[in-house]
């Protein structure tokens, strides 16, 4: 499949859904023409076509919030794209991690397939949002600002606390320490740009 096989609309455009390759959060919907698609493939960063300005634009060229392309996929009719990226900052021009931050529902959305481990998925997305937006005063922001050495230190400290709680046969303390360890491991995975899904895939493969 090449660019020549992509079906552009009557205006020479194809919709491109941009998705965080790590957290799986949908970040934005933009449009590409043939030239911006070619530039995206060549540079491995997102380029779009602005319908309002009628010109090409390189995402993050002025803000620094570039998007490194991990993969680009097309649908069965080859007339729309999904672009999997590692973002270097917020996707939204308003400074939000995703352009789809607001809901039409007043209450929490209904979860159609709740699982025991849904909180890990939610936490992974929140950590990704913190990294992109870096809200002042947030502990996750502090960890990302300090960098990998600080994150690794915290993982080591929490692992030690888990060992102590287990040795003391203290289930109440153990559950809190394991929760802290899980959180810091997820921060580490985000810093390393490693999706939790890949870790789970290793467990699944070992289970076979």
């Amino acid at each position: 499949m090449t660019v020549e096989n992509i079906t552009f609309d009557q205006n020479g455009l194809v919709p491109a859904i941009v998705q965080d390759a790590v957290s799986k959060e949908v970040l934005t919907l933009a449009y590409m023409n043939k030239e911006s698609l070619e530039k995206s493939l060549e540079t491995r960063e997102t380029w779009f076509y602005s319908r309002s300005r009628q010109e090409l634009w390189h995402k993050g060229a002025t803000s620094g919030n570039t998007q490194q392309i991990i993969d680009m996929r097309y649908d069965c009719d080859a007339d729309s794209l999904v672009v999997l990226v590692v973002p270097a900052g917020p996707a939204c021009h308003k400074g939000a991690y995703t352009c789809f931050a607001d809901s039409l529902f007043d209450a929490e959305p209904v979860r159609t397939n709740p699982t025991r481990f849904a909180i890990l998925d939610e936490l992974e997305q929140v950590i990704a949002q913190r990294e992109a937006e870096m809200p002042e005063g947030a502990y996750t922001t502090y960890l990302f600002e300090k960098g990998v050495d600080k994150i690794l230190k915290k993982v080591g400290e929490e692992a030690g606390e888990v060992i102590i709680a287990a040795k003391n046969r203290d289930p109440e303390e153990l559950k809190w320490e394991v929760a802290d360890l899980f959180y810091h491991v997820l921060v580490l995975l985000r810093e390393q740009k490693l999706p939790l899904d890949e870790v789970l895939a290793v467990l699944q493969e070992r289970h076979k």
Side-chain angles (χ1 to χ4, degrees):
M1 192 75 168
T2 67
V3 173
E4 303 299 331
N5 299 116
I6 296 297
T7 302
F8 296 92
D9 66 16
Q10 64 272 21
N11 297 312
L13 303 176
V14 61
I17 302 165
V18 182
Q19 183 179 24
D20 189 317
V22 178
S23 73
K24 309 307 179 187
E25 185 82 20
V26 174
L27 301 180
T28 191
L29 168 64
Y31 290 84
M32 294 182 177
N33 63 4
K34 184 172 182 290
E35 184 180 359
S36 64
L37 177 54
E38 289 174 337
K39 281 185 172 292
S40 296
L41 291 169
E42 177 186 352
T43 64
R44 303 286 295 201
E45 291 188 350
T46 51
W47 287 73
F48 303 111
Y49 183 81
S50 172
R51 294 174 297 169
S52 59
R53 301 192 305 270
Q54 295 191 341
E55 63 182 15
L56 261 61
W57 60 283
H58 178 200
K59 171 62 179 172
T62 55
S63 66
N65 300 329
T66 55
Q67 297 170 336
Q68 178 189 354
I69 297 174
I70 302 301
D71 194 11
M72 296 183 73
R73 302 173 185 174
Y74 50 89
D75 73 344
C76 52
D77 295 319
D79 61 0
S80 59
L81 303 171
V82 171
V83 187
L84 300 172
V85 305
V86 173
C92 182
H93 71 283
K94 294 182 178 180
Y97 166 55
T98 170
C99 293
F100 297 99
D102 299 315
S103 174
L104 290 173
F105 292 94
D106 294 330
E108 285 291 315
V110 176
R111 302 195 179 280
T112 57
N113 186 30
T115 71
R116 294 169 59 204
F117 309 110
I119 185 59
L120 293 178
D121 182 53
E122 292 180 36
L123 186 55
E124 186 179 34
Q125 292 183 13
V126 169
I127 290 170
Q129 181 179 1
R130 292 287 189 272
E131 184 196 37
E133 299 177 1
M134 299 293 274
E136 185 177 353
Y139 176 65
T140 309
T141 298
Y142 164 77
L143 290 176
F144 283 126
E145 286 177 340
K146 291 297 182 181
V148 67
D149 287 345
K150 181 64 176 180
I151 297 170
L152 290 172
K153 181 180 179 182
K154 291 301 297 181
V155 169
E157 288 176 357
E158 298 303 338
E161 295 294 332
V162 168
I163 293 171
I164 293 170
K167 288 290 287 182
N168 290 338
R169 300 291 183 179
D170 187 340
E172 185 67 23
E173 184 67 18
L174 181 59
K175 71 181 182 182
W176 287 97
E177 298 301 344
V178 171
D180 287 344
L181 179 59
F182 282 4
Y183 159 76
H184 286 92
V185 167
L186 287 175
V187 173
L188 177 62
L189 291 178
R190 181 67 191 185
E191 195 279 337
Q192 297 284 306
K193 301 299 181 279
L194 178 63
L196 177 61
D197 285 350
E198 294 193 19
V199 178
L200 298 178
V202 172
L203 293 174
Q204 183 66 36
E205 183 63 28
R206 289 177 178 178
H207 179 65
K208 292 180 180 178

